[in-house]
Amino acid sequence: MRRSDEEEQAVRAATRGELRLLEPAVRASPEAVRALLDPEFTEFGASGRRYDRTSVLAVTSAAGEDDTGPSVATAMSGTLLAPGLVHLTYVSERDGRLFRRSSLWRRTGGRWRMYFHQGTPAGEPEQAGQYPADSPSGPD
């Protein structure tokens, strides 16, 4: 099914924001992170910890640009759930480990900001294909 122009534009905007948040230079800038996170932001990190906007800003500000390490995003896809609300999913790899990522991006005041994020450890890259949803045939 072909996406509407509205859905395409919304998903592109959320994807741009998500990719910016993965950039070490952006993560090292409290102003840049603040601009991309919704004031009501919540995250369930891959560690199991719960973060809000203030705690994420404290963590990202404490890490220097060189301390954040690269994170590579693959298999990114998005869906417009409702006007002004996009759900993104993707896989990230950092330091030889895979993580499943899910984000909700909300448009308020004409700006797209991350409203919610969850990261779930997915093991080593060679294990990724062992999960039923990763198989070409899908679930039984």
Side-chain angles (χ1 to χ4, degrees), residues 4-103:
S4 69
D5 286 342
E6 175 190 12
E7 182 174 12
E8 195 65 42
Q9 289 176 11
V11 169
R12 267 195 243 128
T15 300
R16 278 192 304 271
E18 190 81 42
L19 292 173
R20 289 212 10 96
L21 279 170
L22 294 175
E23 296 173 17
V26 171
R27 294 181 64 78
S29 166
E31 296 79 24
V33 174
R34 191 176 294 111
L36 290 165
L37 296 183
D38 190 273
E40 297 176 20
F41 172 80
T42 300
E43 175 178 346
F44 297 142
S47 64
R49 293 186 182 106
R50 181 184 176 280
Y51 298 93
D52 61 11
R53 186 178 188 215
T54 302
S55 59
V56 166
L57 285 165
V59 169
T60 57
S61 296
E65 191 173 328
D66 296 332
D67 296 337
T68 56
S71 183
V72 177
T74 59
M76 189 171 289
S77 66
T79 302
L80 181 67
L81 298 177
L85 186 64
V86 170
H87 179 225
L88 293 179
T89 60
Y90 62 100
V91 175
S92 69
E93 183 175 349
R94 184 170 177 185
D95 300 327
R97 295 191 58 217
L98 294 178
F99 299 90
R100 303 254 181 230
R101 303 279 180 183
S102 177
S103 299

